[in-house]
């Protein structure tokens, strides 16, 4: 049985939900699945835009058949060759033998790396700025390399001003009835999931996102149709997500707030983190404070909040005379996502020696961070002397929060 939606006149959503998946890209935990979006435009020429994961072939083909309503498929456009969007290319092209496979040179190179050249005689190569006329509607192709793979392109439908944005503007979570972003962007954890999706997957490529923005700056956009998550089809939701992407891709905080991320084997460094949070509150900090145990929290959540907030406090500990492995892995992954331009402070439990503080700062160097307050050094457990140092650090962070002007 098919499950399609008419998003606009003669534009159909033929994608699927995946609620069985535990981790996206086998890395990022999913508590409510993910949607694989695919769209079909019916016109003088019918075009399918992107594909879905391999576990949904039957449902996907039924959706396409229902949307076509007995007509033939003329084109299949692949904006992005990552497997969650390309696993059913061969099934579609075999079912519709007259359909052309539309992509750029790198699309076909990647296709042959993953699969084979079975459909080489049906390749329809497009270049930057090329257009594909469908009749009433017309697709213009804009290349978006490294947003977030080398072959990525997007397309702009010039008649109704629809922007098929590939992985840009996507989010985690399955579609729960509401396909339109206006119905979800101010509810539940949607924004947290959209931020976690962007910062962990696209985060490193902020410069390339900005380059795409420049390419489409003069385009009127009435609808954004990403490959994951809801569709943006009204001015408020389009402005909302564009503003978020502007911040995320320029590494600009969304909110004043403090993320405190600690490593602790026996609870002593955890206690220091809690004391700091308490002191901040007692000084009158009203902004959000989040505390994370680096050993018990998936890095994707901590990375997301490090992007969200203006301030971060790291509390590393020593291990085998170096940096505790979980903290080292987290900081390395955070830097790998491009994180920079934040105000940073340190609590460090050095116990019997080691270089954990030095290594932490070395990992973060290059991020153009501003260091706030004096590093607090704890020898095994928090003493009264360290409590006073933590209070001084809290004062420095509070003063900096008060003077910080959010862009």
């Amino acid at each position: 049985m098919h499950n399609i939606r008419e998003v606009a006149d003669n534009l159909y959503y033929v994608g699927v939900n995946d609620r069985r998946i535990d981790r996206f890209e086998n890395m990022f935990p999913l508590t409510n699945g993910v949607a694989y979006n695919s769209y079909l435009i019916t016109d003088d020429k019918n075009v399918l835009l992107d594909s879905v994961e391999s576990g949904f072939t039957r449902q996907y083909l039924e959706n396409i058949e229902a949307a076509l309503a007995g007509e033939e498929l003329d084109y299949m456009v692949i904006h992005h060759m990552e497997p969650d969007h390309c696993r059913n290319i061969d099934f579609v092209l075999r079912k519709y033998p007259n359909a052309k496979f539309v992509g750029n040179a790198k699309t076909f190179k990647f296709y042959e790396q993953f699969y084979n050249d079975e459909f080489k005689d049906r390749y329809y190569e497009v270049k930057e700025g090329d257009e594909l006329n469908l009749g009433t509607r017309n697709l213009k192709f804009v290349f978006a390399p490294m947003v977030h793979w080398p072959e990525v392109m997007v397309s702009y439908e010039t008649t109704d001003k629809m922007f098929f944005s590939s992985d840009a503007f996507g989010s985690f979570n399955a579609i729960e009835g509401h396909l339109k972003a206006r119905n979800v962007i101010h509810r539940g954890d949607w924004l947290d999931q959209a931020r976690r999706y962007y910062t962990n997957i696209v985060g490193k490529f902020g410069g390339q996102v900005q380059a795409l923005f420049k390419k489409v700056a003069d385009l009127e956009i009435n609808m954004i149709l990403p490959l994951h998550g809801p569709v943006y089809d009204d001015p408020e939701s389009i402005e909302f997500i564009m503003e978020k992407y502007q911040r995320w891709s320029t590494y600009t905080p969304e909110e004043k707030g403090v993320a405190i991320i600690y490593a602790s084997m026996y609870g002593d460094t955890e206690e220091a983190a809690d004391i700091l949070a308490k002191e901040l509150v007692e000084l009158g900090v009203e902004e959000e404070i989040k505390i994370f145990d680096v050993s018990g929290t998936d890095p994707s959540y901590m990375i997301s909040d490090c992007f969200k907030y203006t301030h971060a406090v790291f509390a590393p500990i020593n291990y085998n005379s170096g940096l505790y492995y979980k903290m080292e892995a987290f900081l390395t992954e955070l830097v790998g996502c491009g994180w920079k331009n934040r105000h940073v402070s340190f609590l460090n439990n050095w116990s019997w020696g080691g270089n954990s503080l030095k290594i932490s700062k070395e990992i973060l160097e290059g991020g153009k961070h501003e260091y706030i307050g004096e590093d607090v050094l704890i020898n095994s457990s928090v003493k009264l002397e360290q409590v006073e140092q933590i209070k001084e650090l809290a004062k420095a962070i509070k003063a900096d929060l008060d003077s910080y002007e959010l862009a």
Side-chain angles (χ1 to χ4, degrees):
M1 181 64 182
H2 70 79
N3 184 16
I4 65 173
R5 303 157 182 254
E6 191 167 12
V7 182
D9 289 344
N10 300 317
L11 169 65
Y12 298 91
Y13 179 89
V14 294
V16 298
N17 279 317
D18 185 354
R19 293 189 177 90
R20 297 181 181 181
I21 185 172
D22 292 322
R23 289 182 177 270
F24 190 78
E25 296 182 347
N26 207 24
M27 285 182 66
F28 310 113
L30 296 176
T31 57
N32 191 24
V34 69
Y36 308 121
N37 297 348
S38 177
Y39 308 94
L40 193 144
I41 299 172
T42 58
D43 205 326
D44 294 344
K45 299 290 185 180
N46 300 319
V47 58
L48 178 67
L49 301 157
D50 298 293
S51 177
V52 303
E53 252 286 14
S54 58
F56 303 90
T57 301
R58 180 172 181 171
Q59 180 184 347
Y60 182 55
L61 292 178
E62 288 178 355
N63 288 351
I64 294 167
E65 186 175 3
L68 285 171
E71 296 188 10
E72 280 297 309
L73 183 69
D74 298 287
Y75 301 105
M76 183 180 196
V77 174
I78 297 296
H79 293 104
H80 181 23
M81 263 300 300
E82 200 165 4
D84 55 334
H85 307 300
C86 71
R87 286 291 195 199
N88 280 283
I89 293 173
D90 51 350
F91 287 96
V92 171
L93 293 180
R94 290 189 192 111
K95 184 176 177 66
Y96 299 100
N98 295 320
K100 296 291 186 181
F101 177 7
V102 181
N104 59 63
K106 289 181 179 177
T107 306
F108 302 129
K109 176 185 176 183
F110 282 14
Y111 182 76
E112 292 173 13
Q113 286 178 196
F114 277 111
Y115 307 107
N116 51 51
D117 62 355
E118 176 184 353
F119 303 105
K120 200 163 190 174
D121 61 333
R122 293 161 68 182
Y123 289 177
Y124 186 108
E125 183 179 338
V126 294
K127 295 181 172 59
E128 177 89 41
D130 282 357
E131 299 189 12
L132 181 65
N133 184 260
L134 306 175
T136 303
R137 290 193 168 113
N138 187 69
L139 292 175
K140 181 175 182 177
F141 298 99
V142 180
F143 285 15
M146 298 318 299
V147 185
H148 58 118
W149 274 29
E151 89 301 351
V152 171
M153 63 182 183
V154 299
S155 60
Y156 177 69
E157 198 287 300
T158 60
T159 303
D160 291 324
K161 322 300 185 191
M162 299 185 297
F163 183 43
F164 295 92
S165 63
S166 191
D167 264 354
F169 307 108
S171 66
F172 295 136
N173 281 356
I175 300 296
E176 296 184 306
H178 294 295
L179 181 62
K180 303 298 180 69
R182 69 182 83 169
N183 297 310
V184 299
I185 60 176
H186 299 300
R187 296 179 181 175
D189 69 342
W190 175 83
L191 179 57
D192 291 337
Q193 295 294 349
R195 183 191 307 105
R196 191 164 69 97
Y197 176 89
Y198 174 87
T199 56
N200 285 274
I201 295 170
V202 190
K204 179 180 179 179
F205 304 110
Q208 288 81 355
V209 173
Q210 285 292 303
L212 175 59
F213 280 2
K214 289 177 183 177
K215 286 185 178 183
V216 301
D218 295 330
L219 299 180
E220 179 185 351
I221 296 175
N222 293 332
M223 187 181 297
I224 299 174
L225 300 106
L227 289 181
H228 299 288
V231 168
Y232 304 85
D233 71 336
D234 67 289
E236 181 183 348
S237 63
I238 291 173
E239 182 181 358
F240 181 88
I241 195 61
M242 290 290 283
E243 192 272 341
K244 296 300 180 187
Y245 260 65
Q246 178 64 22
R247 286 185 176 276
W248 298 338
S249 63
T250 56
Y251 308 98
T252 303
E254 287 173 69
E255 297 179 14
K256 287 187 180 184
V258 185
I260 303 173
I261 298 164
Y262 71 85
S264 188
M265 287 186 285
Y266 302 108
D268 295 297
T269 316
E270 178 182 9
E271 181 184 22
D274 280 330
I275 291 170
L276 176 61
K278 180 200 72 166
E279 292 298 330
L280 288 169
V281 171
E282 291 187 355
L283 287 170
V285 170
E286 296 182 354
E287 290 84 5
E288 192 164 12
I289 301 168
K290 298 284 285 293
I291 303 178
F292 297 100
D293 178 355
V294 76
S295 295
T297 310
D298 186 84
S300 66
Y301 294 97
M302 298 183 287
I303 288 168
S304 179
D305 274 356
C306 283
F307 269 78
K308 179 179 180 180
Y309 296 123
T310 52
H311 290 67
V313 180
F314 300 111
I317 59 176
N318 296 315
Y319 200 81
N320 289 342
S321 298
L323 176 58
Y324 190 69
Y325 301 146
K326 294 281 190 177
M327 181 64 80
E328 185 169 17
F330 164 68
L331 292 176
T332 300
E333 192 167 344
L334 178 62
V335 169
C337 291
W339 187 70
K340 59 186 175 183
N341 302 335
R342 294 305 192 274
H343 289 196
V344 174
S345 305
F346 279 96
L347 296 168
N348 177 231
N349 194 335
W350 60 277
S351 286
W352 43 264
N355 297 300
S356 57
L357 182 60
K358 177 176 177 287
I359 296 169
S360 296
K361 289 185 174 182
E362 286 174 349
I363 293 172
L364 292 175
E365 72 180 5
K368 299 180 181 178
H369 304 297
E370 182 176 336
Y371 290 92
I372 306 301
E374 296 293 326
D375 300 335
V376 177
L377 302 179
I378 300 162
N379 187 355
S380 295
S381 63
V382 180
K383 315 296 193 301
L384 288 176
E385 178 185 349
Q386 279 85 52
V387 172
E388 293 305 313
Q389 292 173 6
I390 292 172
K391 287 182 177 180
E392 290 303 311
L393 179 58
K395 289 177 184 177
I397 295 172
K398 170 66 164 64
D400 194 63
L401 276 167
D402 289 345
S403 63
Y404 194 102
E405 293 186 7
L406 198 64

